[in-house]
Every structure is written in structure tokens, then in C-alpha cells.
Amino acid sequence: MKAYRFLLAAMALLSTFGLSAQMTQRLTATKTNEYGLIYNLPKTGIVVTISATKTVETPGEFARYAKKYLNMTPILEPRTRYEMGNVEIYTRPLADDAEQYLVRFKSGQGVFMMVTADGFPVSIGDDAYTPAPAPVTSLKNVAAAPTILETPAAHQAVTEDMLRATSSAKRAELAADKIYEIRQQRSDIISGQADNMPSDGEAMKVALAALDRQEQALTAMFVGTTATSTEVKTFYYTPSADDERVHRIIARLSATDGLVSPDDLSGSPIYLDLTVTRRGELPVNEKGVVKTFPKEGVAYRIPGNADVRVTYDGRAMAQAAISVAQFGVVFGLDPSIFTAKKAPGYLHFDSNTGAILELGVLSGD
């Protein structure tokens, strides 16, 4: 069978995030189920995924001697701090127990419906249709890279004299001496005056890189290290059907604990603002009279729309225009559309809202 697209088509909103496939199953109207199919129309949940940058500052072993030997300002106290990162907004379909429907078809027609694992409708009469994949955040947790003191260069930079020294003051003095020695070695290699010059240009690069890493490690023993990572958490909000404007705390950001729940007062608030921009309305006939729901009709959503924005510290971090199932209404199609012998219909749903994406008829090749 080949589907010719006409009658009604709607553009699906495509997410800019990474995508994951939806699993579907087939329900067929047979004598066993009295030619009736049961499915659920979803409601819409809002998903807010937030990243925060974590910075860990650690003093070096010789912090108190950094000014004396290197004239550098060191990290003096351990410190962990979080800063706001990126925010992504998308939606997900949720079960709505109040929106379960039974649709009956004529016997002997073999009408089938494809539904998601949650029972949300995907299509009628077209098992080749692939629904738009569910959105998945592109934000990822990123572990901190090892600091220079956690690399082999730190062990290579420590001399035997430093290991034998019995006081931190003496070890600091020897470490500073080693830094200046490394700098002289680098200068000698670059100027071609080293006693044991590298054999070629590539060997010189390797030798200089090794000296640089050793100097960085020794310097970190004085000034300390900074490690940066990214932490990601996801928060949820499900709008009520009677929402018009929403201003609520969706999460908080603590300077020391990172992203925390809305009720954790250790953090500064991250706000979610929602404004309904359009409510779905029942269709009317040519006289402007609301149409009647067809008997045992195929129920679908006519969703509403909303603008969503996430703000922090007075700054807009993300915003999106979304379709919201519960801001709309439910109407139905005459089930006979799908049992016509000459040209049976097919239907594609938006499995996130239960809205119609495409309605047409099937015809032979």
C-alpha cells in the first residue's frame, strides 16, 4: 500500500537536541477485542536540563613560600565553587489517566493502530510511519581533567634532595632551585648551548615539553591547582490545564553544593516562567457552530501553545515555544474514515501531544 498525503498535514516541531528512538507496538481491531482499540492521549511535561561548572581550588604544598621564591600569589585555602552553565528546555509526554479512549471500527476491516510503550497513539493504518524521536539533552557531565600534580611530570620533577629534606621550608627552597635550573636548561637548549643537545628538531620538542611539564608541576606545588568539571541535572514541571502565567522556582544553584532542589535555600533561585499564548479550540462548521464529537470517534488533541523561559540572576538562560496538550481540547474523527473499502484512511499522530500531524487515504501502487 502506498500513502498519498493530503486532506490535513501539520508540521512537527523538531528538537535541536540529540534524539532517541521510540518503541512502538501494534494494536489490531479484531473479534477478540470486539473491534475496539484502547489508547491514551498524553499530557505534556516540561523538562529543564541545567549544567553547572564546578571549580575546585587546592593550595600547593609550598603555598606559604610562593611570594618569597617565585613572587607569585598562591591559592591559600581550599575552595569549591559552582557557576551557572547552559540550560535546555524540551517536553515529554506523560500518562493522563483522565484521557483514555476506546474507538470501535467496523468488523472485518483489520484496522490497526501503532502506539508507544506508554499507550500513546502514533498512527492508524500505517505501520511504516516512524514518529519523531524523543528529545534528549545535549548537555553532558564532564569530569575534571587530572591536575599537573596528578601526572607523571610531578614525580619526575621531585629530586632526591627534596625527598631527603626534613622540613617544608627546605623542600620549598630546593623546589624553587629546581624551577630556575629547568628554566636555564630550556634556555641552553633553545640557544644551542646545552651540553647534551637533542639530536634533531623532534627530539628538541620532546625535551622542551618535558621540561615545561616539570616546571608546571613544581610551580603548582607553590601556587596550587585548579580543576574544572561540569555537572548536569534535570528538573521537571507539569503544567496544569488552567495555568495562564507561571512564575516558579524550578531549581537552585548553590555556590558550594551546585544544582539543588527548589526547596533547598542554600542556593540562589533558577526560575521557570510560562505564558500561555494560545489555547486549542474545538472545530466549528461553516456556520460557526461547534462540531459534535463523532460517535465512538477517534479522539485526538488540539493542543495549545506556550512560551517558556528559564532565568537566573536576572538573565535569560533559555527560552522555547512549545505545544502543550492540556492547554487544548479533545475532538474526534469519524472511525469510518479508516474502514472505507476503496480508499481507507491513515492517520499520523504527534505522540507527544496526541495532535494530528497528517491525515490521508491509502491507495494501491
Side-chain angles (χ1 to χ4, degrees):
M1 303 292 281
K2 183 177 180 182
Y4 288 93
R5 302 177 178 180
F6 69 106
L7 292 181
L8 176 64
M11 292 298 293
L13 293 175
L14 300 179
S15 172
T16 57
F17 309 116
L19 301 174
S20 64
Q22 295 186 42
M23 300 298 293
T24 60
Q25 56 183 323
R26 179 174 177 142
L27 306 178
T28 303
T30 64
K31 186 176 181 180
T32 303
N33 54 29
E34 299 181 344
Y35 305 101
L37 302 180
I38 297 174
Y39 62 97
N40 284 77
L41 293 178
K43 60 183 176 181
T44 302
I46 297 173
V47 183
V48 178
T49 301
I50 306 172
S51 70
T53 301
K54 178 183 180 182
T55 302
V56 178
E57 296 178 347
T58 305
E61 178 185 358
F62 310 133
R64 72 177 72 176
Y65 306 105
K67 269 290 185 184
K68 177 179 179 181
Y69 290 117
L70 302 181
N71 195 30
M72 299 178 72
T73 301
I75 298 169
L76 295 175
E77 297 292 337
R79 181 187 177 195
T80 298
R81 69 178 187 275
Y82 286 84
E83 297 175 329
M84 192 68 169
N86 296 317
V87 177
E88 291 179 347
I89 303 169
Y90 51 102
T91 61
R92 61 172 181 164
L94 302 173
D96 190 345
D97 295 336
E99 298 296 340
Q100 187 176 84
Y101 293 90
L102 167 65
V103 57
R104 291 189 188 280
F105 299 95
K106 287 182 180 179
S107 62
Q109 299 301 309
V111 178
F112 64 89
M113 174 184 287
M114 304 301 295
V115 298
T116 69
D118 295 313
F120 305 144
V122 172
S123 66
I124 295 177
D126 185 0
D127 56 3
Y129 170 64
T130 301
V136 177
T137 181
S138 64
L139 302 179
K140 304 297 181 184
N141 289 300
V142 179
T147 68
I148 188 66
L149 293 181
E150 297 170 321
T151 65
H155 301 288
Q156 297 165 3
V158 176
T159 65
E160 291 184 11
D161 289 341
M162 290 172 62
L163 292 174
R164 287 195 297 265
T166 57
S167 69
S168 60
K170 184 60 178 177
R171 286 196 299 274
E173 180 183 355
L174 292 170
D177 290 343
K178 182 63 176 177
I179 289 174
Y180 291 113
E181 179 184 327
I182 288 172
R183 290 176 180 175
Q184 185 60 53
Q185 288 177 321
R186 182 191 299 110
S187 177
D188 290 344
I189 291 174
I190 293 173
S191 63
Q193 298 178 2
D195 293 335
N196 296 303
M197 283 293 296
S199 58
D200 54 31
E202 188 61 33
M204 177 181 291
K205 288 181 181 179
V206 172
L208 292 175
L211 290 175
D212 286 343
R213 289 193 296 272
Q214 289 183 38
E215 182 179 350
Q216 291 169 14
L218 290 167
T219 302
M221 294 177 188
F222 287 90
V223 299
T225 60
T226 300
T228 302
S229 59
T230 301
E231 295 185 1
V232 176
K233 288 188 177 181
T234 299
F235 303 87
Y236 304 94
Y237 174 66
T238 302
S240 298
D242 57 357
D243 282 345
E244 287 293 340
R245 290 182 179 273
V246 173
H247 179 70
R248 62 179 290 132
I249 298 172
I250 190 70
R252 290 179 183 269
L253 180 64
S254 166
T256 56
D257 297 324
L259 293 163
V260 296
S261 63
D263 56 358
D264 188 334
L265 300 182
S266 69
S268 300
I270 302 170
Y271 290 102
L272 179 145
D273 289 279
L274 177 148
T275 303
V276 177
T277 56
R278 184 189 65 83
R279 288 194 175 272
E281 298 179 347
L282 292 170
V284 297
N285 61 24
E286 62 277 3
K287 295 181 179 180
V289 178
V290 174
K291 292 183 178 180
T292 302
F293 193 102
K295 183 179 180 181
E296 295 185 330
V298 178
Y300 65 92
R301 291 267 198 185
I302 303 173
N305 297 332
D307 286 336
V308 180
R309 185 172 67 159
V310 174
T311 59
Y312 173 72
D313 194 26
R315 294 176 290 142
M317 305 302 301
Q319 55 189 22
I322 62 172
S323 292
V324 180
Q326 54 269 40
F327 291 165
V329 294
V330 176
F331 195 62
L333 295 173
D334 190 328
S336 66
I337 293 174
F338 306 98
T339 55
K341 291 184 178 181
K342 291 185 177 180
Y346 73 90
L347 175 62
H348 297 168
F349 289 91
D350 179 348
S351 56
N352 289 311
T353 63
I356 292 177
L357 291 181
E358 188 173 295
L359 175 64
V361 297
L362 296 165
S363 177
D365 291 327

